[in-house]
Amino acid sequence: MKPRQLEPSGPVAGMGLTAELGGRPWQSPPKYSTPEQALEYYLPRLTSPDSYDELLDVLELGVPVTAIADSLQTGGVMQGLHTVDVGILILPVLMEMLAYIGDDAGIEYNLGIDTPMDEDKIRDSQIALAMRKARERIPEAVEDAKDGEETEPMMDQVEDTPEPSMAGGLMARRQQ
Amino acid sequence: MYGQAKKAYLNMENYLKSDEDTKPVGKTSGLLGRNKQQDIKEDMQDNPTQRMANLVQRIRKARMEIKNNETTSA
């Protein structure tokens, strides 16, 4: 039996037990418990002279405002500044503030809400990953399928094989 | 990847578009000798989403002023 390969994107088994409960910043009570307190932390930082020019550069480069706002609030959650709920609540305000900064500086920016969010559409990378997994699991079946595609089936062989009788229904066992 | 921010923003858009009747009320305080509409108004003021919506509207108003100044000066 082949050993299972670890998924690079997934957590390693037992990873959640590598630190004591409450040892991580997000496991302790948040520093700012209300959205207003969290915004009092974020908004001065957005407009501070240190980060203002960099922020404008990033906006001008075409990085979506949604991406910047999401990174900001996710970082805050990881630092234990506020909860995820407060982060979601302040997201629209952060986005609006970033857009205000962009408008104030007179630059063209991408708000990041125009791209259609098609939940049903499957990305090419996901299809490729699923195909790779399928190949690993059933290598023989794939090889057989490849052989079948490459070589044309001979007419004699096709005629010789008896057609399975469907009298017993779809779930019935096939006759040999 | 950043669908969370987009969803939050679009939800806020829908919230701002909705009128008083369709806005969700966070808690119910009953009718013990008080005006129901007054209760709803107080609840709405206490609602964090409403507080954030007020902030968004204020910032958006400032943005519109900037854009209007740009168009008039140009």
Side-chain angles (χ1 to χ4, degrees), chain A residues 2-164:
Chain A
K2 266 177 74 177
R4 265 186 68 191
Q5 276 191 332
L6 286 174
E7 292 290 330
S9 59
V12 180
M15 188 187 269
L17 306 172
T18 51
E20 280 183 35
L21 188 64
R24 302 289 189 202
W26 59 87
Q27 290 173 338
S28 53
K31 196 174 176 185
Y32 307 112
S33 54
T34 64
E36 284 83 2
Q37 288 172 353
L39 285 172
E40 277 175 22
Y41 169 79
Y42 282 114
L43 296 186
R45 276 162 180 75
L46 287 179
T47 51
S48 70
D50 298 336
S51 58
Y52 188 75
D53 291 336
E54 286 177 24
L55 185 63
L56 288 182
D57 289 343
V58 171
L59 282 174
E60 208 162 10
L61 276 172
V63 177
V65 171
T66 48
I68 302 170
D70 210 12
S71 305
L72 276 172
Q73 72 91 15
T74 309
V77 172
M78 288 181 71
Q79 290 172 49
L81 296 176
H82 53 80
T83 59
V84 179
D85 297 358
V86 168
I88 298 291
L89 276 169
I90 64 170
L91 264 175
V93 184
L94 286 178
M95 282 181 64
E96 206 66 41
M97 195 64 198
L98 288 167
Y100 173 79
I101 289 170
D103 284 337
D104 193 36
I107 58 168
E108 292 284 324
Y109 57 88
N110 174 19
L111 205 53
I113 58 166
D114 297 329
T115 50
M117 200 155 50
D118 195 357
E119 299 285 346
D120 296 333
K121 193 179 175 187
I122 302 166
R123 292 194 305 271
D124 291 342
S125 57
Q126 282 181 321
I127 295 170
L129 191 69
M131 288 293 287
R132 202 188 73 191
K133 280 183 181 174
R135 271 195 213 104
E136 284 171 2
R137 283 183 189 164
I138 41 170
E140 291 171 6
V142 172
E143 286 299 318
D144 291 345
K146 276 184 184 173
D147 292 343
E149 285 172 8
E150 286 167 5
T151 57
E152 289 281 324
M154 292 179 74
M155 290 303 290
D156 298 338
Q157 286 178 351
V158 172
E159 284 171 6
D160 289 341
T161 52
E163 286 190 10

Side-chain angles (χ1 to χ4, degrees), chain B residues 34-47:
Chain B
R34 301 181 67 191
N35 185 2
K36 191 182 178 185
Q37 289 299 322
Q38 186 64 29
D39 280 355
I40 290 174
K41 272 189 181 174
E42 284 175 9
D43 287 349
M44 292 299 293
Q45 284 166 3
D46 198 34
N47 187 1

Side-chain angles (χ1 to χ4, degrees), chain B residues 26-70:
Chain B
K27 60 184 179 184
T28 53
S29 47
L31 297 171
L32 294 172
R34 301 181 67 191
N35 185 2
K36 191 182 178 185
Q37 289 299 322
Q38 186 64 29
D39 280 355
I40 290 174
K41 272 189 181 174
E42 284 175 9
D43 287 349
M44 292 299 293
Q45 284 166 3
D46 198 34
N47 187 1
T49 312
Q50 181 61 43
R51 297 202 308 260
M52 292 301 108
N54 293 340
L55 271 173
V56 166
Q57 277 179 324
R58 280 173 59 189
I59 300 169
R60 194 166 289 179
K61 198 176 169 188
R63 274 177 66 199
M64 290 303 124
E65 281 176 9
I66 290 172
K67 284 190 177 176
N68 288 337
N69 286 341
E70 279 177 5

